[in-house]
Amino acid sequence: MEAIRKQASKLREQVARQQQAVLKQFGAGGYGGSDNMVTDEVELQQHQKLEKLYISTRAGKHYQRDIVRGVEGYIVTGSKQVEIGTKLSEDSRKYGSENTCTSGSTLSRAALNYARARAQMEKERGTLLKALGTQVAEPLRAMVMGAPLEDARHLAQRYDRMRQDAEAQAIEVSKRQAKVRETPGNAENAMKLEAAEAKLQDLKSNMAILGKEAAAAMTAVEAQQQRLTLQRLIAMVEAERAYHQRVLQILDHLEGEMISERQRIEAPPTPSVDNNMPPPPSYEEVNGVYASQERNGVTDSMGYFLGEVLFPYHAESEIELNLSVGDYIVIRKVTNNGWAEGECKGKAGWFPFGYIERRDRVLASKVSEVF
């Protein structure tokens, strides 16, 4: 009988060791342990809440670290781009100020405009990089490495260790209870059981207090973590948005300057009125005394014909005619000194003959616009 009792005791101890090994296996590696020996429902809920908070704040910390690393990498590459862009701006400025092209200064002006715009864009990029460093990376880095998060996590880890101790102590109480049942009336076993139960009660009481403190600290850290990370993300978006808006304004202005220079190159030369060109003859001279076949430089040998305005002309006297590109004119007289007389849109007057071009075929709709 004694041998059987010893064998049963050995089996119970073996089972207890296996239970402890299982508890250690589930409790190892970060936060969290087994709920097998937890009998208090409130404490179980506290434990589950802390477990979720621990996972949440750990994920938040990792995301903050990812943002910091991404911003730092962006700053490094951006700084290199600023350096390259600044060099390009300086090269363009140097060409624009030193170019001695004999066919015109259009490209020089374009190079100077580009140099100025590029310098402005690189300045804006530098402002963006500075904002990302001071408004995003630094605050997040401070929180990742900050004391509140670490203190809260230490409280949670202390609670976890105390909970594991309580679970191990609960197993010890079970063993003592079994021995008392096996040897009823044994005072020593009863005293050991009472001491084990008292220790378990102290552990559970301390565990409940520590669990509340850890939960409160972790909840506060989680809220701060969520709020700060969102604020920094918004700050990053606003900084990049402002940067791209300013760069777009710079590029729009530069494009306008570039297109203006290109049009200046591609546009055909506008005929100019010779300063020595005599003023157009008066109608009295043409239709009166001097209205011969050729008098005062006027000839009618060409007859009436239609012409299309190629260049705009603004009348400088009452007897001259305003011209708009695309208008059609009935030319009635042409002088040998460069003037022509005609009618357009119901008005008649003189204008430089070089501003129009003869048209032999014209749409009927265009002819109706002449009169």
Side-chain angles (χ1 to χ4, degrees), residues 147-338:
L149 175 62
E150 293 304 314
D151 292 345
R153 290 165 67 88
H154 288 158
L155 281 175
Q157 290 168 354
R158 281 178 55 198
Y159 166 82
D160 184 52
R161 288 192 295 269
M162 187 173 290
R163 193 170 191 274
Q164 292 179 19
D165 292 341
E167 289 172 346
Q169 187 62 27
I171 294 174
E172 179 66 21
V173 168
S174 297
K175 289 169 57 179
R176 295 297 178 186
Q177 288 173 344
K179 286 187 177 181
V180 168
R181 286 193 299 269
E182 291 172 3
T183 57
N186 188 318
E188 183 180 357
N189 287 340
M191 289 176 61
K192 290 182 178 180
L193 174 59
E194 185 178 350
E197 289 176 340
K199 183 177 180 180
L200 176 60
Q201 189 60 38
D202 289 342
L203 283 171
K204 293 178 73 173
S205 177
N206 294 334
M207 183 175 63
I209 296 172
L210 185 59
K212 290 179 181 179
E213 294 179 1
M218 291 290 284
T219 300
V221 166
E222 183 188 49
Q224 182 187 15
Q225 195 179 60
Q226 296 285 310
R227 183 177 62 256
L228 179 64
T229 304
L230 178 60
Q231 290 174 348
R232 296 311 96 197
L233 281 177
I234 293 174
M236 181 162 59
V237 171
E238 290 177 344
E240 290 196 78
R241 181 173 178 271
Y243 162 73
H244 288 295
Q245 284 180 334
R246 288 192 288 268
V247 168
L248 181 59
Q249 292 173 355
I250 295 170
L251 289 174
D252 284 343
H253 182 68
L254 176 62
E255 183 185 31
E257 294 176 329
M258 294 289 191
I259 291 176
S260 177
E261 293 294 339
R262 184 180 66 186
Q263 291 174 344
R264 188 177 291 110
I265 293 176
E266 296 176 352
T270 302
S272 58
V273 178
D274 189 354
N275 292 331
N276 297 321
M277 181 178 177
S282 66
Y283 282 96
E284 289 78 6
E285 292 176 318
V286 175
N287 299 321
V289 179
Y290 302 105
S292 59
Q293 184 69 20
E294 184 173 339
R295 182 67 59 88
N296 196 26
V298 178
T299 177
D300 294 322
S301 61
M302 298 180 68
Y304 286 19
F305 63 91
L306 286 174
E308 181 182 357
V309 177
L310 301 181
F311 307 99
Y313 178 72
H314 299 287
E316 297 181 0
S317 68
E318 295 180 354
I319 65 173
E320 295 181 21
L321 186 65
N322 287 315
L323 303 181
S324 297
V325 176
D327 287 347
Y328 283 83
I329 303 179
V330 174
I331 293 91
R332 297 184 295 208
K333 293 181 175 64
V334 179
T335 69
N336 292 332
N337 55 13

